[in-house]
Amino acid sequence: MRYFMLLAAAFLSAACQHSQPENSVVDAVAKQQECTAADTVYMNADSTICSLKIDGYKVSWIRDNASRKNNELKLFGEVPAGLIDSLGIANGIPSSMSAVLLQCDTANVLFDAGLGMPGCLLLSSLDSLGVKAETLDRVYLTHLHPDHIGGLMANGQKVFPNAKVYVAKAEYDAWMNMPEDKNQMQVAFAKLYADNMVLFEFNDTLPVGVVALDAKGHTPGHTVFEAGKFLIVGDLFHGLALQMAHPEFCAFYDMDPENAVKSREKFISYAKEKGSVMLGMHFPEPGFVK
Ligand SMILES: [Zn+2]
């Protein structure tokens, strides 16, 4: 039943770009994000999928983890008590493990693939958005951490057997040259998808007009993807509520904190300047900020 409702809502959003579906959650989200009449927004009942349609791209944020998740404050080092109070994050910072799907007339592109553990929601969510694993065209990867590539593999087999997988050359090279005890999953992924792997440079324009931008710091080749008004920012943020206001705080996972801060600051300004909609792989629902 829910799938039917999702499909109906997807159809509705595709068919009438200038009216909002009659759904109070959608209205609330639209209001919260100050969406214009030209945008369409849809969120499913569990708040695990949120779709937006702007300028011919339909982009869906898909939460991969089944339950809501807070990141612990200790992940971000010493956060002053006054700041914790003023931001209301004493119980942790709302987060998620997520992926993003872009759909346009000619292709479906998945950005990152989640953790791939039992109970993860990615494949059922893709299904509800009309995308089967076997027919997915392309996967664009922001970086090669396990919570982004785990979902590409299951029991040593490809989950997306016909997809081309795109990775920044800087990211690929860095992981392939790491010590053996640090890159086992990345090497297994590289072997499995060797025949379907495309390595790109920063500033390359990839199929369907997506531009790959340099966001190094979190990892050596961490990439932000720009598709029209959308900016898919990968792991620029692990604690949105803290780091949007204070980009100087790094999560423990940032491999090169100095460049991670620079990249975060750079893309916050860039998004403001261009009026972009940011989607992040560790954003809480609705998965985007405008
Ligand atoms: Zn991550």
Side-chain angles (χ1 to χ4, degrees):
M1 183 62 184
R2 184 178 305 142
Y3 288 165
F4 170 76
M5 287 169 70
L6 274 170
L7 285 171
F11 173 76
L12 189 66
S13 91
C16 53
Q17 283 197 46
H18 297 286
S19 65
Q20 296 291 339
E22 286 180 13
N23 178 321
S24 59
V25 177
V26 171
D27 289 345
V29 172
K31 211 169 183 183
Q32 181 191 345
Q33 302 300 335
E34 296 176 358
C35 287
T36 67
D39 304 338
T40 51
V41 184
Y42 172 71
M43 185 183 271
N44 69 338
D46 298 338
S47 308
T48 58
I49 301 173
C50 186
S51 302
L52 275 151
K53 191 170 183 184
I54 307 174
D55 299 339
Y57 290 117
K58 179 184 172 191
V59 172
S60 301
W61 170 84
I62 300 169
R63 196 180 83 198
D64 191 34
N65 52 302
S67 310
R68 283 198 173 81
K69 172 176 156 44
N70 274 9
N71 271 339
E72 292 180 59
L73 279 172
K74 66 179 183 196
L75 199 63
F76 301 90
E78 292 292 316
V79 182
L83 191 54
I84 295 171
D85 282 351
S86 68
L87 294 173
I89 52 173
N91 295 322
I93 308 177
S95 178
S96 73
M97 262 187 257
S98 303
V100 170
L101 177 72
L102 178 151
Q103 296 172 280
C104 60
D105 288 346
T106 53
N108 295 308
V109 180
L110 179 66
F111 296 81
D112 297 353
L115 200 51
M117 297 295 278
C120 283
L121 303 176
L122 178 66
L123 292 179
S124 60
S125 298
L126 287 177
D127 196 44
S128 74
L129 289 162
V131 176
K132 302 270 178 237
E134 306 77 50
T135 57
L136 183 76
D137 310 294
R138 299 183 181 92
V139 181
Y140 295 173
L141 293 172
T142 62
H143 65 296
L144 300 184
H145 273 156
D147 55 322
H148 300 255
I149 63 168
L152 296 170
M153 301 176 276
N155 304 315
Q157 302 293 315
K158 288 177 185 172
V159 170
F160 303 103
N162 298 305
K164 280 192 175 167
V165 177
Y166 292 69
V167 188
K169 187 170 185 302
E171 181 74 5
Y172 182 90
D173 288 348
W175 283 98
M176 292 309 116
N177 289 314
M178 274 183 208
E180 270 177 39
D181 61 331
K182 297 217 160 51
N183 68 359
Q184 286 178 5
M185 189 185 209
Q186 289 77 12
V187 169
F189 149 73
K191 279 188 184 152
L192 191 60
Y193 281 90
D195 293 341
N196 300 66
M197 186 89 70
V198 180
L199 301 181
F200 60 79
E201 303 288 342
F202 291 134
N203 299 320
D204 280 358
T205 299
L206 308 183
V208 302
V210 174
V211 183
L213 300 170
D214 179 352
K216 66 175 174 289
H218 175 62
T219 59
H222 184 247
T223 305
V224 163
F225 294 101
E226 184 170 39
K229 280 272 177 201
F230 295 103
L231 268 188
I232 294 124
V233 301
D235 278 16
L236 270 190
F237 302 89
H238 293 81
L240 188 64
L242 171 67
Q243 292 175 299
M244 186 59 88
H246 291 273
E248 69 275 18
F249 285 99
C250 278
F252 166 77
Y253 309 119
D254 288 341
M255 292 169 78
D256 172 355
E258 200 180 318
N259 276 314
V261 172
K262 280 186 191 161
S263 288
R264 208 156 28 249
E265 289 172 343
K266 177 173 87 175
F267 281 103
I268 290 171
S269 306
Y270 185 84
K272 271 185 196 155
E273 229 169 76
K274 296 194 82 172
S276 311
V277 176
M278 272 192 194
L279 294 102
M281 277 48 178
H282 298 296
F283 282 14
E285 70 260 17
F288 59 87
V289 289
K290 197 174 177 184

